[in-house]
Amino acid sequence: MQLSLGPLQYFWPREQVFAFYRKAALWPVDIIYLGESVCSKRRELGFKDWFRLAEELVDHDCEVVLSSLALMEAESEVSQLIRLIENQRFMVEANDISAVQLLKERNLPFVGGPTLNVYNQATLRLLVEDGLQRLVLGVEQGPREIKAVREAFPEMPELEVIGWGRLPLAFSARCFTARALGLGKDTCGFRCVDYPEGLPLSTRDGQPLLTVNGIQLQSADYCDLGPEVGEARQIGVDCLRIYPQAEGTEEVVRRFRLALETGVLPPRNGTENRYWHAGR
């Protein structure tokens, strides 16, 4: 089983991003996803920057994948998407069906991101015909769905599930962070940068509810499938995804790698994924 480092979900200053990936190059991960997948307004790094990072990381014997936006809203974003797809070196993670269409037109293989919303085998077969090589399952798909796919679809491409990180639950054309701060989306001032792991959202009585991350809503706590590594391997999961956090990502990676290599399951350091346990 492989370990991947998912695309950065938060808005960090340029130098923090470069520093993070310089360290990540030395971590025991097999796949690193790079690129902006949440909000097109986040432009600390442009395509050339992400491509340069990809070229540096691929020299460290890991697969590099360039991730696309999950929500396309403007023609300018489509233009950037085409540039990403036509990079001529790295596979692309398609997080929107428009990316799938553009990749299909160019006969390019791709990774299907968790926001493609693949819920049945007919859709999956169509995507495989279009060039799907690996599918990152949606957050609500657990062991039951994985077993059903493996049994009915033996030639299924690789399956990747989120093993660690705040779960990406929803996207909106509106910016939740800007709204929380009394700002308009077009005049947000890029305030996401003030919240390197998102803005906590609580209920009226102070109980953690969600995490606000620009136009994205995430789970309040970290999902942790560390104790389920053995089960995930047994039912046919090929790769576990770890989402970058501002602090402690290396320790998480090494904890998962140790579990994969030794079979000794680690204690849970985050919240159990209730989607996973409900889907048995």
Side-chain angles (χ1 to χ4, degrees):
M1 185 184 289
Q2 295 183 310
L3 277 183
S4 75
L5 194 61
L8 178 61
Q9 299 189 94
Y10 305 107
F11 188 35
W12 294 350
R14 179 186 179 86
E15 287 309 313
Q16 183 177 349
V17 174
F18 279 109
F20 177 86
Y21 285 109
R22 289 189 197 106
K23 294 177 182 177
L26 304 177
W27 300 345
V29 294
D30 304 289
I31 307 164
I32 296 180
Y33 292 84
L34 294 175
E36 179 56 56
S37 63
V38 177
C39 178
S40 63
K41 289 174 65 67
R42 298 175 177 179
R43 296 172 182 166
E44 283 281 291
L45 276 73
F47 170 77
K48 290 183 178 179
D49 298 309
W50 290 116
F51 191 81
R52 190 180 82 192
L53 265 177
E55 289 185 314
E56 292 176 4
L57 290 169
V58 80
D59 291 335
H60 291 269
D61 296 325
C62 68
E63 178 186 352
V64 177
V65 180
L66 300 178
S67 296
S68 69
L69 284 170
L71 184 61
M72 307 293 294
E73 298 184 78
E75 289 186 12
S76 60
E77 294 166 9
V78 176
S79 298
Q80 290 298 313
L81 174 61
I82 292 172
R83 189 179 184 190
L84 184 77
I85 287 171
E86 295 181 344
N87 76 83
Q88 299 184 337
R89 182 167 183 187
F90 301 103
M91 194 180 295
V92 169
E93 179 189 48
N95 285 305
D96 179 89
I97 200 65
S98 60
V100 173
Q101 180 62 32
L102 291 168
L103 287 156
K104 176 186 176 181
E105 291 172 358
R106 291 159 176 78
N107 295 314
L108 293 172
F110 62 92
V111 177
T115 51
L116 280 187
N117 300 324
V118 180
Y119 294 112
N120 60 71
Q121 294 163 25
T123 300
L124 184 54
R125 288 184 186 278
L126 286 174
L127 289 173
V128 170
E129 292 174 6
D130 291 343
L132 178 72
Q133 301 290 303
R134 182 187 309 129
L135 176 65
V136 186
L137 291 170
V139 297
E140 68 274 39
Q141 293 169 292
R144 183 172 55 207
E145 291 81 9
I146 295 170
K147 290 177 183 177
V149 168
R150 284 296 186 198
E151 290 172 1
F153 198 176
E155 69 275 26
M156 169 68 203
E158 294 180 0
L159 285 180
E160 182 173 342
V161 300
I162 299 169
W164 171 270
R166 290 193 176 91
L167 297 176
L169 300 177
F171 290 81
S172 171
R174 291 190 175 187
C175 178
F176 299 108
T177 302
R179 187 175 180 84
L181 299 174
L183 301 169
K185 182 179 179 181
D186 293 335
T187 56
C188 67
F190 308 104
R191 293 291 298 278
C192 284
V193 79
D194 297 330
Y195 305 97
E197 290 199 13
L199 176 63
L201 177 64
S202 301
T203 62
R204 290 188 176 182
D205 58 357
Q207 297 298 312
L209 179 62
L210 296 166
T211 300
V212 173
N213 177 38
I215 67 170
Q216 181 192 59
L217 288 179
Q218 302 175 319
S219 58
D221 200 0
Y222 304 107
C223 153
D224 182 5
L225 286 187
E228 285 75 38
V229 165
E231 179 187 12
R233 192 203 300 266
Q234 184 177 16
I235 63 175
V237 173
D238 300 289
C239 184
L240 289 172
R241 169 174 291 200
I242 295 170
Y243 274 119
Q245 309 296 329
E247 301 290 341
T249 308
E250 180 178 1
E251 289 76 10
V252 173
V253 167
R254 296 193 181 281
R255 182 167 66 95
F256 271 79
R257 176 56 67 189
L258 184 63
L260 291 178
E261 291 180 349
T262 65
V264 178
L265 302 181
R268 198 181 306 282
N269 285 352
T271 301
E272 67 176 356
N273 184 340
R274 292 178 178 84
Y275 286 118
W276 181 271
H277 291 283
R280 292 183 183 278

